[in-house]
PDB file of all heavy atoms in Angstrom:
ATOM      1  N   PHE A  18     -30.348   5.722  16.961  1.00 96.00           N
ATOM      2  CA  PHE A  18     -31.674   5.079  17.086  1.00 96.00           C
ATOM      3  C   PHE A  18     -32.457   5.942  18.078  1.00 96.00           C
ATOM      4  O   PHE A  18     -32.113   5.949  19.286  1.00 96.00           O
ATOM      5  CB  PHE A  18     -31.522   3.639  17.568  1.00 96.00           C
ATOM      6  CG  PHE A  18     -30.791   2.750  16.599  1.00 96.00           C
ATOM      7  CD1 PHE A  18     -29.397   2.608  16.668  1.00 96.00           C
ATOM      8  CD2 PHE A  18     -31.442   2.112  15.537  1.00 96.00           C
ATOM      9  CE1 PHE A  18     -28.709   1.817  15.765  1.00 96.00           C
ATOM     10  CE2 PHE A  18     -30.764   1.311  14.634  1.00 96.00           C
ATOM     11  CZ  PHE A  18     -29.408   1.175  14.721  1.00 96.00           C
ATOM     12  N   GLY A  19     -33.449   6.663  17.589  1.00 95.00           N
ATOM     13  CA  GLY A  19     -34.197   7.598  18.426  1.00 95.00           C
ATOM     14  C   GLY A  19     -34.052   9.006  17.866  1.00 95.00           C
ATOM     15  O   GLY A  19     -33.182   9.235  17.045  1.00 95.00           O
ATOM     16  N   THR A  20     -34.915   9.904  18.356  1.00 94.00           N
ATOM     17  CA  THR A  20     -34.988  11.240  17.747  1.00 94.00           C
ATOM     18  C   THR A  20     -34.021  12.243  18.404  1.00 94.00           C
ATOM     19  O   THR A  20     -33.742  13.289  17.818  1.00 94.00           O
ATOM     20  CB  THR A  20     -36.400  11.773  17.848  1.00 94.00           C
ATOM     21  OG1 THR A  20     -36.836  11.591  19.210  1.00 94.00           O
ATOM     22  CG2 THR A  20     -37.365  11.051  16.901  1.00 94.00           C
ATOM     23  N   GLY A  21     -33.560  11.927  19.575  1.00 93.00           N
ATOM     24  CA  GLY A  21     -32.697  12.861  20.271  1.00 93.00           C
ATOM     25  C   GLY A  21     -33.531  13.925  21.030  1.00 93.00           C
ATOM     26  O   GLY A  21     -34.723  14.048  20.782  1.00 93.00           O
ATOM     27  N   CYS A  22     -32.896  14.639  21.947  1.00 94.00           N
ATOM     28  CA  CYS A  22     -33.590  15.672  22.705  1.00 94.00           C
ATOM     29  C   CYS A  22     -32.581  16.795  22.989  1.00 94.00           C
ATOM     30  O   CYS A  22     -31.460  16.733  22.549  1.00 94.00           O
ATOM     31  CB  CYS A  22     -34.175  15.092  24.020  1.00 94.00           C
ATOM     32  SG  CYS A  22     -32.881  14.588  25.173  1.00 94.00           S
ATOM     33  N   CYS A  25     -29.114  15.784  24.155  1.00 93.00           N
ATOM     34  CA  CYS A  25     -28.180  14.964  23.403  1.00 93.00           C
ATOM     35  C   CYS A  25     -28.076  15.325  21.926  1.00 93.00           C
ATOM     36  O   CYS A  25     -27.206  14.813  21.193  1.00 93.00           O
ATOM     37  CB  CYS A  25     -28.540  13.482  23.511  1.00 93.00           C
ATOM     38  SG  CYS A  25     -30.134  13.048  22.743  1.00 93.00           S
ATOM     39  N   ASN A  36     -23.140   5.367  25.131  1.00 93.00           N
ATOM     40  CA  ASN A  36     -23.654   6.012  23.909  1.00 93.00           C
ATOM     41  C   ASN A  36     -25.174   6.211  23.979  1.00 93.00           C
ATOM     42  O   ASN A  36     -25.827   6.260  22.946  1.00 93.00           O
ATOM     43  CB  ASN A  36     -23.225   5.236  22.642  1.00 93.00           C
ATOM     44  CG  ASN A  36     -23.709   3.820  22.693  1.00 93.00           C
ATOM     45  OD1 ASN A  36     -24.354   3.399  23.642  1.00 93.00           O
ATOM     46  ND2 ASN A  36     -23.413   3.081  21.644  1.00 93.00           N
ATOM     47  N   TYR A  37     -25.695   6.302  25.175  1.00 93.00           N
ATOM     48  CA  TYR A  37     -27.149   6.284  25.408  1.00 93.00           C
ATOM     49  C   TYR A  37     -27.551   7.531  26.202  1.00 93.00           C
ATOM     50  O   TYR A  37     -26.878   7.937  27.122  1.00 93.00           O
ATOM     51  CB  TYR A  37     -27.460   5.032  26.247  1.00 93.00           C
ATOM     52  CG  TYR A  37     -28.838   4.869  26.758  1.00 93.00           C
ATOM     53  CD1 TYR A  37     -29.866   4.479  25.955  1.00 93.00           C
ATOM     54  CD2 TYR A  37     -29.098   5.124  28.136  1.00 93.00           C
ATOM     55  CE1 TYR A  37     -31.173   4.312  26.444  1.00 93.00           C
ATOM     56  CE2 TYR A  37     -30.390   4.995  28.633  1.00 93.00           C
ATOM     57  CZ  TYR A  37     -31.406   4.596  27.790  1.00 93.00           C
ATOM     58  OH  TYR A  37     -32.699   4.448  28.317  1.00 93.00           O
ATOM     59  N   CYS A  38     -28.671   8.173  25.688  1.00 94.00           N
ATOM     60  CA  CYS A  38     -29.164   9.338  26.374  1.00 94.00           C
ATOM     61  C   CYS A  38     -30.212   8.900  27.397  1.00 94.00           C
ATOM     62  O   CYS A  38     -31.286   8.387  26.999  1.00 94.00           O
ATOM     63  CB  CYS A  38     -29.763  10.331  25.403  1.00 94.00           C
ATOM     64  SG  CYS A  38     -30.603  11.713  26.218  1.00 94.00           S
ATOM     65  N   ARG A  39     -29.984   9.158  28.685  1.00 93.00           N
ATOM     66  CA  ARG A  39     -30.932   8.749  29.718  1.00 93.00           C
ATOM     67  C   ARG A  39     -32.268   9.519  29.596  1.00 93.00           C
ATOM     68  O   ARG A  39     -33.339   9.007  29.958  1.00 93.00           O
ATOM     69  CB  ARG A  39     -30.355   9.005  31.103  1.00 93.00           C
ATOM     70  CG  ARG A  39     -29.243   8.047  31.468  1.00 93.00           C
ATOM     71  CD  ARG A  39     -29.040   7.981  32.930  1.00 93.00           C
ATOM     72  NE  ARG A  39     -30.018   7.037  33.506  1.00 93.00           N
ATOM     73  CZ  ARG A  39     -29.698   6.043  34.329  1.00 93.00           C
ATOM     74  NH1 ARG A  39     -28.464   5.836  34.611  1.00 93.00           N
ATOM     75  NH2 ARG A  39     -30.631   5.254  34.800  1.00 93.00           N
ATOM     76  N   ALA A  40     -32.146  10.773  29.137  1.00 93.00           N
ATOM     77  CA  ALA A  40     -33.341  11.605  29.091  1.00 93.00           C
ATOM     78  C   ALA A  40     -34.382  11.110  28.088  1.00 93.00           C
ATOM     79  O   ALA A  40     -35.576  11.030  28.375  1.00 93.00           O
ATOM     80  CB  ALA A  40     -32.969  13.050  28.763  1.00 93.00           C
ATOM     81  N   CYS A  41     -33.936  10.730  26.830  1.00 95.00           N
ATOM     82  CA  CYS A  41     -34.903  10.410  25.830  1.00 95.00           C
ATOM     83  C   CYS A  41     -34.719   8.981  25.294  1.00 95.00           C
ATOM     84  O   CYS A  41     -35.543   8.529  24.469  1.00 95.00           O
ATOM     85  CB  CYS A  41     -34.863  11.380  24.668  1.00 95.00           C
ATOM     86  SG  CYS A  41     -33.332  11.285  23.707  1.00 95.00           S
ATOM     87  N   GLY A  42     -33.677   8.292  25.723  1.00 95.00           N
ATOM     88  CA  GLY A  42     -33.524   6.914  25.286  1.00 95.00           C
ATOM     89  C   GLY A  42     -32.846   6.740  23.925  1.00 95.00           C
ATOM     90  O   GLY A  42     -32.785   5.646  23.414  1.00 95.00           O
ATOM     91  N   THR A  43     -32.407   7.831  23.354  1.00 95.00           N
ATOM     92  CA  THR A  43     -31.733   7.703  22.047  1.00 95.00           C
ATOM     93  C   THR A  43     -30.376   7.016  22.199  1.00 95.00           C
ATOM     94  O   THR A  43     -29.629   7.337  23.127  1.00 95.00           O
ATOM     95  CB  THR A  43     -31.580   9.098  21.360  1.00 95.00           C
ATOM     96  OG1 THR A  43     -32.884   9.619  21.152  1.00 95.00           O
ATOM     97  CG2 THR A  43     -30.847   8.987  20.046  1.00 95.00           C
ATOM     98  N   VAL A  44     -30.074   6.109  21.265  1.00 95.00           N
ATOM     99  CA  VAL A  44     -28.780   5.459  21.241  1.00 95.00           C
ATOM    100  C   VAL A  44     -27.982   5.996  20.067  1.00 95.00           C
ATOM    101  O   VAL A  44     -28.458   5.965  18.931  1.00 95.00           O
ATOM    102  CB  VAL A  44     -28.893   3.926  21.147  1.00 95.00           C
ATOM    103  CG1 VAL A  44     -27.536   3.274  21.018  1.00 95.00           C
ATOM    104  CG2 VAL A  44     -29.659   3.341  22.369  1.00 95.00           C
ATOM    105  N   TYR A  45     -26.769   6.494  20.369  1.00 95.00           N
ATOM    106  CA  TYR A  45     -25.889   6.981  19.315  1.00 95.00           C
ATOM    107  C   TYR A  45     -24.870   5.868  18.944  1.00 95.00           C
ATOM    108  O   TYR A  45     -23.794   5.768  19.545  1.00 95.00           O
ATOM    109  CB  TYR A  45     -25.184   8.274  19.756  1.00 95.00           C
ATOM    110  CG  TYR A  45     -26.149   9.432  19.831  1.00 95.00           C
ATOM    111  CD1 TYR A  45     -26.896   9.655  21.011  1.00 95.00           C
ATOM    112  CD2 TYR A  45     -26.340  10.278  18.762  1.00 95.00           C
ATOM    113  CE1 TYR A  45     -27.829  10.676  21.069  1.00 95.00           C
ATOM    114  CE2 TYR A  45     -27.261  11.303  18.804  1.00 95.00           C
ATOM    115  CZ  TYR A  45     -28.024  11.513  19.959  1.00 95.00           C
ATOM    116  OH  TYR A  45     -28.931  12.538  20.011  1.00 95.00           O
TER     117      TYR A  45
END
Side-chain angles (χ1 to χ4, degrees):
F18 296 91
T20 48
C22 66
C25 66
N36 57 0
Y37 171 78
C38 173
R39 290 202 81 128
C41 68
T43 297
V44 175
Y45 291 86

